[in-house]
């Protein structure tokens, strides 16, 4: 063997060794629950339901129904954490997650004073509406690695005049999705509030219109946050598109195809025309990640078959995006504005991911002779393993 072959052998050996090490670390990361639970911390969903005084029950004419991760609030895990496992009180949270319904109810009874003092509904002249706990529904213990959503219902009494009200709760409780319903007026109000943010004035006895800009802004934020930081599966899919080729024409073709496809099913899903259960969609989204990354490993260039599959996978991801809007709800008076805002937010999130990949990977390593061997293939293997893990997790657990 001549010495001229030694540089190639050295590079090849290095490549194989690096690939093996990356696969090892990928397998290690897959065992970390903080990495695999991509949507662990979610906004609470708050429904403000107003009933006119003629038919209101003895507890009052306002019912506040809050769907939340009760254990994370009791454990004091704030919004600065993307995942409960990264918090300093992670052990307390896990212990609470394993409690029976009766035991967690006992914990809530000790916590409810803190809850009531940390949220408020105020009038236009800054008077606070007294609230009390009406009921609480705690699901039985299940898989403790998956959040358990409890439902807390509060009761209060509002004035019968046309005074406006604002909702707010503690910054430490994180984000909240506010939805308003009334039997006295047509209200289509839905807003994502950042931690500690106060809502706009709400009038329960007459139509309350959100401005077009407010609706657009709120849904842009919701769409963007579904990608960053909450949409790890969508992030990895976009990275997979980038890894095959970073040249702007090929990359733009893939991203545009993906965007057009998910926009179609997002619109159909949001309009209620096309509905597929998340139990079907989510495993298929995981498989789409695996497929793209396996092709990255085997193929050297963009093909028509690849574009067709990106379109199909875009349809799947659009259904996943639509499930987010099911939770939030769409303002029926600004349906297309809300839908447009959410889509813009998603696209901005995807654009951020692509730009980050171009700056951190393609700019520095794109023209290196080892780019495919040491960058594209190993990272594709890592992402494919993650997608495969998610498929089995979402299908069988």
């Amino acid at each position: 063997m001549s010495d001229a072959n030694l540089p190639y052998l050295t590079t090849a050996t290095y490549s194989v060794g690096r690939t093996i090490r990356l696969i090892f670390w990928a397998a290690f990361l897959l065992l970390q629950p903080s990495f695999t639970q991509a949507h662990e911390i979610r906004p609470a969903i708050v429904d403000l339901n107003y009933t006119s005084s003629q038919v209101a029950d003895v507890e009052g004419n306002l019912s506040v129904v809050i769907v939340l991760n009760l254990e994370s609030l009791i454990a004091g895990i704030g919004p600065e954490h993307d995942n409960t496992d990264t918090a300093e009180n992670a052990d307390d949270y896990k212990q609470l997650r394993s409690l029976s319904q009766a035991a967690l109810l006992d914990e809530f009874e000790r916590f409810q004073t803190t809850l009531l003092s940390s949220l408020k509904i105020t009038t236009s002249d800054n008077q606070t509406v007294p609230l009390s706990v009406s009921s609480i529904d705690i699901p039985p213990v299940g898989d403790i690695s998956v959040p358990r959503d409890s439902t807390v219902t509060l009761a209060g009494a509002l004035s019968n005049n046309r005074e406006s009200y604002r909702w707010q709760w503690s910054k430490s409780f994180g984000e909240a999705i506010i939805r308003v319903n009334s039997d006295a007026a047509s209200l289509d109000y839905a807003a994502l509030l950042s931690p500690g943010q106060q809502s706009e004035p709400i009038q329960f006895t007459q139509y309350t219109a959100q401005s077009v800009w407010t609706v657009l802004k709120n849904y842009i934020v919701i769409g963007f946050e579904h990608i960053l930081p909450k949409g790890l599966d969508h992030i990895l899919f976009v990275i997979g598109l980038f890894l095959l080729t970073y040249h702007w024409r090929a990359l733009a073709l893939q991203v545009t195809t993906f965007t057009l496809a998910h926009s179609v099913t997002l619109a159909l899903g949001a309009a209620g025309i096309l509905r597929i259960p998340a139990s079907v969609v989510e495993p298929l989204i995981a498989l789409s990640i695996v497929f793209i990354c396996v092709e990255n490993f085997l193929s050297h260039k963009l093909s028509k078959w690849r574009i067709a599959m990106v379109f199909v996978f875009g349809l799947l991801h659009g259904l996943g995006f639509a499930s987010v809007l099911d939770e939030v709800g769409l303002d029926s008076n600004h349906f297309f504005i809300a839908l447009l805002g959410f889509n813009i937010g998603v696209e901005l999130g995807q654009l951020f991911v692509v730009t980050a990949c171009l700056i951190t990977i393609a700019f520095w390593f794109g023209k290196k002779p080892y780019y495919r061997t040491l960058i594209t293939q190993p990272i594709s293997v890592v992402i494919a393993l993650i997608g495969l893990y998610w498929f089995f997790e979402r299908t069988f657990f």
Side-chain angles (χ1 to χ4, degrees), residues 215-216 219-221 223-224 336-346:
V215 173
L216 184 66
Y219 282 91
I220 287 176
V221 172
F224 185 87
F336 292 105
I337 297 298
L339 186 61
L340 175 64
F342 184 84
N343 215 13
I344 290 174
V346 168

Side-chain angles (χ1 to χ4, degrees), residues 319-365:
L319 292 172
F321 295 143
S323 67
V324 177
L325 289 183
D326 278 343
E327 291 185 354
V328 179
L330 280 175
D331 185 337
S332 62
N333 293 293
H334 297 97
F335 179 85
F336 292 105
I337 297 298
L339 186 61
L340 175 64
F342 184 84
N343 215 13
I344 290 174
V346 168
E347 297 317 310
L348 289 175
Q350 293 176 171
L351 181 61
F352 186 94
V353 173
V354 171
T355 302
C357 289
L358 289 171
I359 293 173
T360 60
I361 299 177
F363 178 79
W364 297 100
F365 307 106

Side-chain angles (χ1 to χ4, degrees), residues 68 70 104-105 108-109 133-138 150-153:
L68 45 68
L70 182 60
L104 185 57
L105 178 60
F108 171 74
E109 290 176 350
V133 176
S134 175
S135 65
I136 178 170
D137 178 26
I138 299 174
S150 299
T151 302
V152 178
T153 302

